[in-house]
């Protein structure tokens, strides 16, 4: 069962992204990933309906109407935006957003590779010198100094190598993120939202239906012929001066 009140904020955020895309705004990688997360975690129709039924049974009428109105409005907004502008959404390949971050990290990798290589060569040279100490007649003090230098260079090399490995991991994460973005992510989310609309409509009276119902009531109880009759009868007189019988037509 889906908690509708917790699902709506995520749905509203996705609805905002659809609107921003249509207005020509550019979204970032984080927002694109939120589209994927939303799609992958989208509840089933059965879970949504179970959540609505739980809401109907437990929430007050005012709260239920407010939540269902928000749910219906966002679902309908996403469905309508995509349906009316699907050609625009379908050509949006959001994977290009990863081009710049990947080029930046590749530049950093090349730079760090050079630093790591320099640290390795310096360490290798010092290590070779230290290995030759038994044969070059160095004093114990000189050997101790060289040993400390080798240990220091080892630490520096390990530090540079860790930085390089972190950059490799960062590049892999970016590539994995880019691969996780479906080409038709906007269509996929639209299909999910569109499938939910009939379920929500079973429990929610759309505002248009309420307005039509109110209009019918107005026409029934306050017709223009009735207003004209009241005006003719009451013109120039106060209601307090009239008896109830005055409101009934004379035979």
């Amino acid at each position: 069962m889906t908690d509708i009140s917790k699902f709506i904020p995520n749905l509203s955020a996705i609805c905002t992204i659809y609107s921003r895309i249509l207005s020509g705004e550019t979204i970032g990688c984080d927002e694109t990933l939120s589209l994927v997360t939303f799609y992958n975690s989208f509840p089933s129709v059965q879970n949504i309906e179970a959540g609505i039924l739980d809401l109907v049974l437990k929430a007050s009428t005012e709260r239920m109407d407010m939540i269902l109105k928000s749910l219906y409005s966002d679902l309908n907004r996403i469905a309508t935006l995509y349906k009316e502008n699907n050609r625009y959404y379908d050509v949006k390949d959001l994977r290009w957003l990863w081009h710049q971050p990947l080029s930046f990290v590749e530049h950093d990798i090349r730079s760090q590779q050079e630093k790591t290589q320099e640290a390795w060569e310096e360490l290798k040279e010092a290590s070779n010198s230290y290995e030759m100490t038994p044969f070059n007649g160095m004093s114990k003090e000189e050997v101790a100094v060289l040993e400390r230098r080798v240990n220091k260079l080892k630490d520096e090399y390990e530090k540079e190598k860790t930085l390089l490995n972190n950059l490799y991991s960062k590049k892999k994460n970016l590539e994995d993120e880019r691969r996780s973005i479906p080409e038709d992510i906007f269509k996929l989310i639209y299909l999910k939202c569109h499938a939910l609309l009939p379920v929500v409509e079973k429990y929610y009276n759309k505002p248009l239906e309420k307005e039509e119902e109110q209009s019918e009531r107005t026409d029934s109880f306050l017709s223009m012929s009735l207003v004209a009759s009241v005006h003719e009868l009451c013109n120039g007189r106060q209601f307090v001066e009239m008896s109830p019988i005055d409101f009934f037509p004379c035979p």
Side-chain angles (χ1 to χ4, degrees):
M1 181 179 69
T2 300
D3 187 336
I4 304 298
S5 61
K6 293 181 179 179
F7 174 68
I8 288 175
N10 295 330
L11 179 65
S12 297
I14 299 304
C15 185
T16 299
I17 291 176
Y18 269 70
S19 297
R20 289 177 55 196
I21 288 289
L22 188 61
S23 67
E25 290 187 43
T26 300
I27 63 173
C29 293
D30 288 343
E31 290 167 305
T32 302
L33 290 174
S34 71
L35 290 170
V36 179
T37 300
F38 179 77
Y39 172 72
N40 290 336
S41 62
F42 202 96
S44 66
V45 172
Q46 293 79 9
N47 282 338
I48 285 288
E49 186 158 20
I52 293 175
L53 287 172
D54 184 67
L55 188 68
V56 170
L57 293 173
K58 297 180 180 179
S60 65
T61 302
E62 292 77 8
R63 176 171 171 75
M64 181 188 70
D65 285 344
M66 179 185 68
I67 292 176
L68 291 182
K69 177 182 179 182
S70 180
L71 177 62
Y72 176 84
S73 297
D74 286 339
L75 289 172
N76 187 58
R77 176 69 173 161
I78 290 173
T80 301
L81 284 175
Y82 180 83
K83 188 175 181 180
E84 294 178 352
N85 307 277
N86 58 84
R87 291 185 179 180
Y88 182 80
Y89 285 108
D90 288 346
V91 298
K92 291 289 182 182
D93 186 357
L94 298 178
R95 293 173 299 180
W96 72 270
L97 293 170
W98 272 256
H99 175 74
Q100 189 175 65
L102 277 169
S103 58
F104 285 159
V105 75
E106 287 169 355
H107 175 271
D108 292 341
I109 285 174
R110 289 191 294 270
S111 176
Q112 188 59 37
Q113 283 173 333
E114 293 178 1
K115 293 180 180 179
T116 305
Q117 182 64 29
E118 290 174 1
W120 164 249
E121 290 176 356
E122 195 171 2
L123 172 61
K124 183 178 180 181
E125 182 180 353
S127 297
N128 290 337
S129 297
Y130 180 73
E131 291 173 359
M132 294 300 297
T133 53
F135 312 103
N136 57 18
M138 296 180 67
S139 66
K140 292 183 178 179
E141 291 78 10
E142 291 173 330
V143 171
V145 171
L146 184 56
E147 184 178 7
R148 287 194 295 271
R149 173 172 169 75
V150 170
N151 290 335
K152 179 182 178 182
L153 291 174
K154 280 183 179 178
D155 291 341
E156 292 178 355
Y157 169 70
E158 290 299 326
K159 178 182 177 180
E160 299 297 339
K161 188 170 71 171
T162 298
L163 291 174
L164 181 59
N165 288 335
N166 289 342
L167 287 171
Y168 285 140
S169 296
K170 184 178 181 180
K171 179 182 178 181
K172 182 179 183 303
N173 289 338
L174 288 171
E175 290 173 338
D176 290 344
E177 287 177 357
R178 183 174 62 179
R179 280 193 293 268
S180 74
I181 312 299
E183 291 183 41
D184 55 349
I185 183 64
F186 292 109
K187 180 180 180 180
L188 293 174
I189 293 176
Y190 155 76
L191 292 173
K192 293 280 190 180
C193 293
H194 183 70
L196 277 186
L197 280 172
V199 176
V200 179
E201 288 174 342
K202 290 196 299 184
Y203 303 93
Y204 173 62
N205 292 321
K206 292 179 286 185
L208 180 59
E209 294 175 350
K210 291 183 177 180
E211 290 173 6
E212 290 174 349
E213 179 183 351
Q214 184 63 39
S215 176
E216 291 173 0
R217 290 180 179 177
T218 301
D219 291 342
S220 175
F221 294 102
L222 293 174
S223 66
M224 288 306 298
S225 60
L226 178 59
V227 171
S229 298
V230 171
H231 179 269
E232 181 180 359
L233 180 63
C234 302
N235 188 23
R237 301 173 62 184
Q238 297 293 328
F239 286 137
V240 293
E241 299 174 358
M242 301 171 61
S243 66
I245 197 66
D246 291 332
F247 283 95
F248 289 88
C250 297

